[in-house]
Structure formats: C-alpha cells, structure tokens
C-alpha cells in the first residue's frame, strides 16, 4: 500500500491479532475494500493521516469495535455512520467536526467517545464535555448519545408533523378537488337542463307556429271556396221540396191532362161530343192566333231589316 492512495502495501502486514494499525501512513482516503476483506480486524487505527472525509461505504465495516480517527482533517462523518452498531470506542480528537450525523444516535453500544479539539456546535460541545480522563470520555459517550437521540426524536416528530401536514394538505386538496368536480358536475347538469329547456321551448314554438300556419291555410282555403259556392244557385235540401216544385208538378199534370183531352178529342170518336167540339175549336183558335203572331213577327222583322 503506497502513501496517499493506500494501495501497494498489504494490510495483512499491518494486522496484529484483531488490531490493524494504519496510523501515520499519510493516507488521503480509506481503503474500504481491503478493510472489508479483513473482518477479524475489529480494532482500526487511522489516526495521524490526511483524511478529509470518509466514503459512504466505510459504514459497511460493521465488524469494527474500536475506531481511532484522531488527528485528521475530517469535516463531517457519513450520514449513515450509525450503521456501525458494534462500535464501542470512538476517538475523534483534533479534527474539524462541527456537528454529528443524526444516525449517530443508533450507536447503542458506544461506551467511550472523545470529541476534544473540534470546532463543535456550542450545544454539542457543552454536552460532550472535556473528556480529560476515562470517566469523562465514558460520560461523553452516554450524554452525546442521549443528545443525538433527542435530536433524532425531534427530527422524527418534525418529520411526522411534516408528513401529517402534507397528508392534511393532500386531504384538503382532495376535498377541494372533489368540491370542484361536484361543482363542475352541478354546472354541467344545470347547463344540460337549460339546454333541454331551450330545446323544449323551441319545439313548442315550432309546434305553435306550425299549428298557426295550418289554421291560416285552412282559413284561406275556406275564403277561397266561398265565392265559388256563392256563384252557384242555392239548392234546397232534397228532403225539403219547395212550393215551386209542387206548383210545377201541378202545371205539368194539368198540361198532361190537357194534352190527353186534346188527343182524345182529335183522335177518338169523342171528337163529335159537345165538350170535344169546344176543345177542338179552342185549339184551332189558339193555333190560328199563334200563326198570326208568327206572321206579325216576320213582317216586323222584314220591316226592321229594310
């Protein structure tokens, strides 16, 4: 493993039982893959190097029990640092740490912690204390874990409140959306009813106009037929014969009787009877009068032509 990169030098040469000492190796990064291949190295010393940060896969080294990262230039720890659940001893002396990740509260087996000589947040620095002896470092581990658990609980509560607020907001949006959809449905229903009412009024108006047109056409037809019917002579009903027809029948009957009498007096042996003689005489006088009247008309017509 060469200096800086950590490659080229075998880690097995550095392994002593379950302790692996990589201090003073001028490391800029941690050889996580090589360390993962040595699960029996539960004690790891990375002090006095040039480490600025730890890679996220460093937290997969869950076999670590004791870890020394003192005298580096670490500015922060990985967010999931709490995955190192078997860690009991942690030395972070003389780095550039300001805060700890919230997952730090999951290090339930941590018994010893040193955070001296870091630009810690004032609240965290007060909780951690000075760690000048074994007892203070053990107290620092307990108090920092309690502090981080309180922060985690507060963050969980904030997260729950945020989730609750988001759920309530979502419910509110859903309620508003349902109200909006109901309003739109009511609007469509009202528009549909108005359209139906408009079409019904149009239908009634068309029907009324059609009936008015039929009535007007019928009236015009009646007015057109009236003059034609008035030009014709009115005929009395057949079931009520008028007096003129009765008179005509009587005259026809009388004429028929006269003709029969005249024929009997002219053609039968009754012509020598006194009554027939009078009838024949009357008939001859009438014929003579008609002939004279016809001659007079011819003379008048002749004179008028001259």
């Amino acid at each position: 493993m060469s200096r800086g990169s950590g490659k080229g030098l075998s880690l097995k040469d550095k392994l002593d039982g379950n302790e692996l000492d990589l201090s003073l190796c001028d490391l800029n990064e941690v050889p996580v893959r090589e360390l993962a291949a040595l699960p029996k190295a539960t004690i790891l010393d990375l002090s006095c190097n040039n480490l600025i940060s730890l890679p996220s896969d460093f937290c997969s080294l869950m076999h670590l029990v004791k870890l020394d990262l003192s005298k580096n230039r670490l500015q922060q720890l990985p967010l999931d640092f709490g995955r190192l659940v078997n860690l009991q001893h942690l030395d972070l002396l003389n780095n550039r740490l300001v805060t700890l990740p919230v997952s730090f509260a999951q290090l339930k087996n941590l018994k010893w912690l040193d955070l001296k000589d870091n630009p810690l947040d004032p609240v965290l620095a007060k909780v951690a204390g000075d760690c000048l002896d074994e007892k203070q470092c053990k107290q620092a581990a307990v108090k920092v874990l309690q502090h981080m658990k309180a922060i985690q609980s507060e963050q969980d509560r904030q997260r729950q409140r945020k989730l609750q607020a988001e759920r309530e907001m979502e419910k509110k949006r859903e309620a508003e959306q349902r109200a909006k959809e109901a309003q739109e449905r009511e609007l469509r229903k009202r528009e549909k009813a108005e359209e139906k009412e408009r079409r019904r009024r149009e239908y009634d108006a068309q029907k009324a106009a059609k009936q008015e047109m039929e009535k007007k056409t019928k009236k015009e037809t009646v007015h057109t037929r009236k003059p034609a019917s008035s030009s014709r002579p009115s005929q009395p009903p057949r079931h009520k014969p008028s007096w003129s027809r009765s008179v005509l029948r009587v005259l026809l009957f009388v004429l028929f009787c006269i003709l029969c009498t005249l024929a009997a007096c002219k053609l039968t042996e009754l012509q020598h009877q006194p009554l027939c003689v009078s009838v024949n005489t009357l008939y001859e006088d009438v014929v003579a009068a008609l002939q004279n009247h016809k001659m007079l008309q011819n003379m008048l017509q002749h004179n008028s032509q001259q």
Side-chain angles (χ1 to χ4, degrees):
M1 179 171 61
S2 64
R3 289 186 178 280
S5 64
K7 296 180 180 178
L9 181 63
S10 174
L11 296 183
K12 292 182 180 180
D13 296 338
K14 295 280 186 176
L15 185 63
D16 183 10
N18 64 339
E19 298 183 13
L20 180 62
D21 187 1
L22 297 179
S23 63
L24 300 170
C25 290
D26 197 22
L27 295 176
N28 294 321
E29 59 183 31
V30 180
V32 176
R33 183 175 299 177
E34 290 81 356
L35 291 173
L38 298 173
K40 69 177 183 177
T42 59
I43 300 175
L44 177 62
D45 188 353
L46 290 169
S47 63
C48 301
N49 283 292
N50 297 317
L51 300 176
I52 297 176
S53 63
L54 299 177
S56 59
D57 56 351
F58 180 83
C59 302
S60 64
L61 303 176
M62 298 174 62
H63 60 277
L64 293 178
V65 175
K66 184 176 181 179
L67 177 62
D68 190 350
L69 291 168
S70 63
K71 298 180 181 178
N72 279 281
R73 293 184 293 167
L74 294 172
Q75 298 178 2
Q76 61 181 9
L77 298 178
L79 294 177
D80 54 350
F81 193 80
R83 291 177 59 193
L84 302 175
V85 292
N86 294 313
L87 198 60
Q88 299 179 14
H89 185 107
L90 177 60
D91 193 346
L92 294 169
L93 171 71
N94 194 10
N95 277 280
R96 299 177 182 178
L97 297 172
V98 178
T99 60
L100 297 175
V102 178
S103 64
F104 199 90
Q106 299 172 11
L107 301 177
K108 58 183 180 179
N109 292 315
L110 190 65
K111 308 298 183 186
W112 194 97
L113 176 63
D114 189 356
L115 286 170
K116 289 193 308 293
D117 299 330
N118 280 283
L120 295 174
D121 176 79
V123 177
L124 180 59
K126 183 177 180 180
V127 172
D130 295 330
C131 192
L132 298 176
D133 54 28
E134 188 76 13
K135 182 179 179 180
Q136 289 182 351
C137 291
K138 287 183 178 181
Q139 289 178 349
V142 175
K143 290 181 179 180
V144 169
L145 283 179
Q146 290 176 350
H147 176 69
M148 298 309 298
K149 286 179 181 179
I151 292 177
Q152 185 180 44
S153 298
E154 180 61 25
Q155 288 189 356
D156 290 341
R157 285 192 294 270
Q158 290 179 358
R159 190 179 301 109
Q160 289 297 326
R161 286 194 294 268
K162 184 179 179 180
L163 291 174
Q164 183 66 22
E166 290 178 352
R167 283 194 291 267
E168 290 178 357
M169 185 63 67
E170 183 64 24
K171 288 181 180 179
K172 184 178 179 181
R173 283 195 295 266
E174 290 177 355
E176 290 177 352
Q177 182 65 25
R178 288 193 296 269
K180 182 179 179 181
E181 291 176 354
Q183 186 176 5
E184 291 177 351
R185 286 194 299 271
E186 185 64 25
L187 179 61
R188 288 194 296 269
K189 185 178 179 180
R190 186 164 59 251
E191 290 177 349
K192 187 176 180 180
E194 291 176 355
E195 177 65 18
K196 185 176 180 180
E197 180 63 20
R198 184 186 64 81
R199 292 174 60 187
R200 188 188 65 79
R201 287 196 300 268
E202 289 181 354
Y203 172 79
D204 291 342
Q206 291 177 358
K207 187 176 180 180
K210 185 177 180 181
Q211 291 177 351
E212 186 66 23
M213 183 64 69
E214 290 177 352
K215 189 183 296 183
K216 186 176 180 181
T217 305
K218 187 176 180 181
K219 188 180 294 184
E220 290 178 352
T221 304
V222 170
H223 287 323
T224 304
R225 291 180 177 179
K226 265 189 176 182
S229 61
S230 61
S231 62
R232 300 175 183 175
S234 58
Q235 297 180 357
R238 294 183 178 181
H239 62 278
K240 294 182 178 180
S242 63
W243 62 271
S244 58
R245 180 170 297 182
S246 300
V247 172
L248 180 60
R249 288 180 178 178
V250 171
L251 292 176
L252 289 175
F253 179 73
V254 172
L255 181 60
F256 177 75
C257 293
I258 292 172
L259 290 176
C260 291
T261 303
L262 184 60
C265 291
K266 281 288 187 181
L267 300 176
T268 63
E269 296 178 354
L270 297 176
Q271 59 183 337
H272 299 292
Q273 294 295 327
L275 179 60
C276 287
V277 172
S278 300
V279 170
N280 290 332
T281 303
L282 180 60
Y283 171 74
E284 290 175 358
D285 291 340
V286 170
V287 170
L290 290 175
Q291 289 178 353
N292 293 332
H293 180 68
K294 187 176 181 179
M295 290 177 61
L296 180 59
Q297 284 182 346
N298 291 333
M299 290 176 64
L300 292 174
Q301 185 177 4
H302 181 70
N303 290 334
S304 63
Q305 289 179 356
Q306 291 180 354

